[in-house]
Amino acid sequence: SEPIPFGTDLAFYVKILPDGVPQARDITAALFEGQTAVGTVIRYVPRTGFGFIRIPDQPGDVHFRKDVVPAELQEQELEGSTARFTVTIHRGMPQASSFQLLAHTSAGYVAPSAEQGIKRAVAGVGSYAAQAGVVGHTAQGFPVVTPTVKRPRVAGQVAASASGRTDAGAMTGWVVSFNPMKGFGFIQSPRSTNGDVYFKALNLPAEHQQRSDLVGVQVVFQGSRMPDGKLQANSLQVLG
């Protein structure tokens, strides 16, 4: 592979070694503002108004809104389609603009599957984080992926595991519903293979627990897999 120039912003997975030291794996250059990229639509729900594109060899998926899709395609089934788009960095996360579906892909393009390249977290030291963490920016204004490192378990986590929960790692998604009066809501995440992710208002930062405009807002959270296989979100960070 080609050498990576010094000062390049990177995206990567983090593996925690048995001695607790984090190690970067599958290192690649991070997406940057104005970059033209090609990827495969892995999820699109016209009703909720957004979807996700997966780029080969990138650890995180790219969010796009319905309004960047050509009008004649906005209500169509897009999953599995290949798209060319321009990367924009919004609140530290990559999003797609100038969305264009491709009838034919260039030679050598291998469309990633829904599972390809995703190292799912499992319980215990030595597992991969579920995905790269929040995309931030350097002092020079360049985008950078700051991975969320999975920490060794503490006593409370062990007890949670004994009750049937398992740690699903760091995840990202968009709020699709939230009722502050009832105190819960749901997140759509490309990492969830078993429906939307449930969360309680108490797991939001205090200043967001009574917001009535959270639908469509991007969040980062720690996932917990319940005994029935469904996910719950904890320790939410609101990016919008």
Side-chain angles (χ1 to χ4, degrees):
S1 60
E2 296 183 2
I4 299 175
F6 180 79
T8 300
D9 295 314
L10 304 173
F12 51 89
Y13 292 97
V14 171
K15 184 178 182 181
I16 304 301
L17 300 178
D19 60 1
V21 175
Q23 185 180 84
R25 298 288 183 92
D26 299 342
I27 298 172
T28 187
L31 299 174
F32 57 87
E33 181 79 27
Q35 178 179 353
T36 298
V38 175
T40 299
V41 179
I42 62 163
R43 190 168 189 184
Y44 176 61
V45 183
R47 176 179 55 83
T48 58
F50 56 84
F52 297 92
I53 300 170
R54 182 160 297 164
I55 302 174
D57 301 324
Q58 278 287 332
D61 297 326
V62 179
H63 169 263
F64 69 92
R65 294 185 177 275
K66 181 178 180 179
D67 58 12
V68 306
V69 178
E72 67 274 15
L73 299 175
Q74 290 182 359
E75 302 301 326
Q76 302 299 313
E77 171 60 58
L78 299 182
E79 293 180 10
S81 302
T82 303
R84 179 187 291 117
F85 58 94
T86 301
V87 176
T88 61
I89 305 298
H90 178 69
R91 296 186 183 274
M93 297 295 287
Q95 293 191 6
S97 64
S98 304
F99 186 100
Q100 177 187 6
L101 288 186
L102 302 179
H104 304 284
T105 58
S106 60
Y109 178 81
V110 179
S113 70
E115 297 298 324
Q116 182 177 340
I118 302 303
K119 296 178 173 63
R120 296 193 179 278
V122 295
V125 172
S127 61
Y128 277 91
Q131 61 182 55
V134 181
V135 177
H137 290 79
T138 64
Q140 294 76 25
F142 296 106
V144 60
V145 175
T146 304
T148 302
V149 176
K150 188 174 178 181
R151 304 293 183 185
R153 290 188 172 196
V154 297
Q157 291 174 312
V158 173
S161 178
S163 68
R165 296 188 181 192
T166 56
D167 183 8
M171 307 177 74
T172 60
W174 277 259
V175 177
V176 293
S177 67
F178 178 60
N179 188 325
M181 297 297 294
K182 294 183 178 179
F184 66 87
F186 291 91
I187 300 164
Q188 186 177 82
S189 172
R191 298 292 186 251
S192 175
T193 58
N194 195 16
D196 295 332
V197 182
Y198 171 83
F199 71 93
K200 295 180 180 179
L202 292 177
N203 285 320
L204 288 165
E207 64 271 23
H208 297 289
Q209 291 180 7
Q210 296 300 317
R211 283 183 59 175
S212 59
D213 60 345
L214 274 182
V215 173
V217 170
Q218 190 174 19
V219 292
V220 178
F221 59 93
Q222 198 70 17
S224 294
R225 194 171 301 279
M226 309 306 291
D228 61 2
K230 294 184 178 180
L231 289 168
Q232 289 193 12
N234 304 294
S235 304
L236 280 84
Q237 301 175 41
V238 178
L239 302 181

